Amino acid sequence: MNLASNVLMRASLAAALAAGLLACNAGVASSKPVALPDPKTDMPLTAAKGSATAVFAGGCFWGVEAVFEHVKGVKQVSSGYAGGTATTARYDEVSAGGTGHAESVKVIYDPSQISYGQLLKVFFSVAHDPTQLNRQGPDRGTQYRSAIFYGDAEQKKIAHAYMAQLGAARAFPAPIVTQLAPLQKFYPAEAYHQDYARLHPNDPYIVYNDAPKVVALKQQFPQLYRPEAIAVSVR
């Protein structure tokens, strides 16, 4: 399937969902947010301002990007691909599901304002459903898997500990299936994917699947919510 056909198919499905044609299929719609505890293992906030990077995958990158663009302490968010190689890091190939990539989001944040553990809490709570295997909302395939691509041993330790904490607490009605993998390389997605939710707020896919995530962020994380999304596009 070529790029234009894939985008058209996604938009068509979203329109059908928004119109209620598939309303009876509860498994297609995005899941409800979950109130979660703070991570017991986390990095302390630094004394000085700086920059750190986190990479998450949780279904279509439009929605995950939209959530983190509204988080205080986040300096830049970009959509892209992780888990595969440079030669196939293109939307038309990734969308076919055979490249090994996951649609991912790179979050650059200030560790003096927000911790890695707090980003994980947002990721698991409102950005996606970590119990859905190789799918998210209406999107299916390994390219839509739940994944944390850690940049170093400290991120790996914190992510592993938090998933174990949530599992022990039975925070979700089903097991967490999030993949924990080292970040080899993050490949920025095509320009038209960047800031997609902010630039296309009336797209039925955004209205149905992604806008509710930002609302949930505001409701569950009022201390972290930023009304104005950061508008940083990657070209």
Side-chain angles (χ1 to χ4, degrees), residues 30-87:
S30 297
S31 62
K32 294 181 179 180
V34 178
L36 299 177
D38 288 328
K40 294 180 180 179
T41 302
D42 198 0
M43 296 180 187
L45 296 179
T46 61
K49 292 183 177 181
S51 294
T53 300
V55 176
F56 305 119
C60 175
F61 40 30
W62 295 344
V64 182
E65 181 189 69
V67 167
F68 284 107
E69 283 186 335
H70 283 275
V71 174
K72 291 179 181 178
V74 171
K75 303 168 70 173
Q76 180 177 330
V77 188
S78 55
S79 290
Y81 313 107
T85 65
T87 56

Side-chain angles (χ1 to χ4, degrees), residues 178-193:
T178 304
Q179 176 190 34
L180 187 59
L183 177 66
Q184 303 295 340
K185 185 74 174 179
F186 178 86
Y187 305 99
E190 295 78 358
Y192 67 88
H193 284 300

Side-chain angles (χ1 to χ4, degrees), residues 116 120 148 154-164 180:
Y116 184 68
L120 287 173
I148 298 168
E154 189 69 11
Q155 286 190 352
K156 179 182 180 181
K157 180 183 75 173
I158 293 169
H160 184 271
Y162 194 44
M163 287 193 289
L180 187 59

